[in-house]
Amino acid sequence: MEEGTSKSPSKRPSTVNHGDADPFQWDTREDCQVRQILDRIADKWSLLVIALLENRRLRFTELRREIDGVSQRMLTVTLRSLERDGLVKRTVHPVVPPRVEYELTSLGRTLHATVQSLVTWTEKHQGEIAAARAAYDSRTADAAEATAP
Amino acid sequence: MEEGTSKSPSKRPSTVNHGDADPFQWDTREDCQVRQILDRIADKWSLLVIALLENRRLRFTELRREIDGVSQRMLTVTLRSLERDGLVKRTVHPVVPPRVEYELTSLGRTLHATVQSLVTWTEKHQGEIAAARAAYDSRTADAAEATAP
DNA sequence: CAGTATCCTGAACGATACTG
DNA sequence: CAGTATCGTTCAGGATACTG
């Protein structure tokens, strides 16, 4: 598992370079914290895990069953990332067979609350977005049809 | 440009399958709107573009200069996606040389406002996250050192 | 049960060259 | 100026097999 460790730390090709006095430092720097957090929660599974753990602590297999599309490997990678960032607490019970439980930390719960505003926004505006997409696609289709009929 | 068009529409391998009555429909379905929105704004450049357009309308080259790490290709792809979703308005002025200006739509502005809460959360908690990472990494390093010295 | 370790594929992205 | 077209690389993530 090299990517789990390399995912966050190995990201400074110093591409984005703005530099000057700017009211938007938070988004113009490559190592921007916001971007890192967004990358964390917007990846394929993190949000699902956070949402499921919001209710109750769950075991590895329970999470797997709930999400079900996730591969064993990616669930592990996702959980490790969340644990590393202090969003999820991992508890190993020294029994056999092993029993490992995951739960949100208090930090994880505050993140979930914040994400809710995004969820709310999306639910409120998904109609507009769908309409915009449909409009754009039909416009594009028309243009293509007019160009190469 | 195949990926620009395929980016959003070609995403239903119907992997995540939960099904049963669940208070979390918004996050367990593969075609989840929240996930789509997150994918849009969390990609490499969208957030930067939205942030820059929050202030003023900008031309293609101006955006390119501001972001500067972005390739011509990705800026185009990003702008097209944002336009398709109704977050950004594209205006072509029929002059020569061409003059194309981009600005946020009202929908785009409301999204920016929503994202701000995430930014605020991040600024507030980045210390905790950094600490959690450092703690996790040192723990991990210790374990590795104890296993294979 | 809860993982690791490998291998492999597709697609995201960058670099480059060309155009209305 | 503001793109489009093509090519090559990288790497996230799935499939599979093996362990404490």
Side-chain angles (χ1 to χ4, degrees):
Chain A
M1 191 214 318
E2 13 37 71
E3 59 196 300
T5 33
S6 71
K7 186 169 192 176
S8 298
S10 72
K11 257 196 172 182
R12 45 217 55 194
S14 73
T15 27
V16 176
N17 170 20
H18 195 233
D20 302 270
D22 189 313
F24 295 98
Q25 300 100 331
W26 65 265
D27 51 33
T28 50
R29 304 193 319 156
E30 159 66 18
D31 58 343
C32 171
Q33 293 283 336
V34 178
R35 289 279 301 280
Q36 287 187 34
I37 299 301
L38 267 176
D39 284 350
R40 170 72 66 249
I41 67 171
D43 73 10
K44 217 173 176 187
W45 308 110
S46 291
L47 200 60
L48 267 36
V49 171
I50 291 173
L52 288 169
L53 292 181
E54 172 72 3
N55 301 324
R56 52 199 186 288
R57 55 218 305 256
L58 290 171
R59 303 178 57 174
F60 186 87
T61 309
E62 291 173 329
L63 278 169
R64 239 203 121 167
R65 218 190 332 271
E66 287 290 319
I67 301 181
D68 156 290
V70 75
S71 66
Q72 203 171 15
R73 185 178 166 285
M74 285 317 294
L75 183 54
T76 302
V77 170
T78 301
L79 287 168
R80 288 291 179 281
S81 292
L82 293 172
E83 188 194 358
R84 188 175 107 101
D85 284 358
L87 299 170
V88 161
K89 167 94 176 296
R90 176 172 179 263
T91 310
V92 182
H93 301 274
V95 297
V96 39
R99 178 182 187 86
V100 181
E101 294 192 317
Y102 294 91
E103 62 191 309
L104 288 188
T105 62
S106 56
L107 185 59
R109 274 188 293 277
T110 65
L111 176 56
H112 183 268
T114 304
V115 167
Q116 273 296 348
S117 75
L118 205 55
V119 174
T120 305
W121 183 92
T122 304
E123 285 170 342
K124 189 172 174 185
H125 296 286
Q126 56 185 320
E128 296 171 66
I129 292 174
R133 287 184 183 173
Y136 181 92
D137 290 347
S138 66
R139 258 183 286 147
T140 302
D142 290 352
E145 175 181 338
T147 312
Chain B
M1 190 217 318
E2 6 49 62
E3 59 196 298
T5 34
S6 70
K7 185 168 191 177
S8 299
S10 72
K11 258 197 172 180
R12 45 217 54 192
S14 72
T15 27
V16 176
N17 170 21
H18 195 233
D20 302 88
D22 189 314
F24 294 98
Q25 300 99 334
W26 64 265
D27 51 33
T28 49
R29 305 192 320 154
E30 160 65 16
D31 58 342
C32 171
Q33 293 283 335
V34 178
R35 289 280 301 282
Q36 286 187 34
I37 299 302
L38 267 176
D39 284 350
R40 172 70 67 249
I41 67 171
D43 73 11
K44 217 173 175 185
W45 309 111
S46 292
L47 201 60
L48 266 37
V49 170
I50 291 174
L52 288 168
L53 293 180
E54 173 73 2
N55 302 324
R56 53 199 186 288
R57 54 217 308 255
L58 290 170
R59 303 180 55 174
F60 187 88
T61 308
E62 291 174 328
L63 278 169
R64 239 204 119 164
R65 218 188 333 271
E66 287 290 320
I67 300 182
D68 157 290
V70 74
S71 67
Q72 203 171 17
R73 185 177 165 286
M74 284 317 294
L75 183 55
T76 303
V77 170
T78 300
L79 287 167
R80 288 289 179 281
S81 291
L82 293 172
E83 187 195 359
R84 188 175 106 102
D85 285 356
L87 299 170
V88 160
K89 167 94 176 298
R90 176 172 179 263
T91 310
V92 182
H93 301 272
V95 298
V96 39
R99 178 183 188 86
V100 180
E101 294 191 317
Y102 294 91
E103 62 191 309
L104 288 188
T105 62
S106 56
L107 185 60
R109 273 188 293 276
T110 65
L111 177 57
H112 183 267
T114 303
V115 167
Q116 274 297 347
S117 75
L118 205 55
V119 174
T120 304
W121 183 91
T122 303
E123 287 170 341
K124 189 174 173 184
H125 297 285
Q126 56 184 319
E128 296 172 66
I129 292 174
R133 288 184 183 173
Y136 181 93
D137 290 348
S138 66
R139 259 184 285 148
T140 302
D142 290 351
E145 175 180 339
T147 314

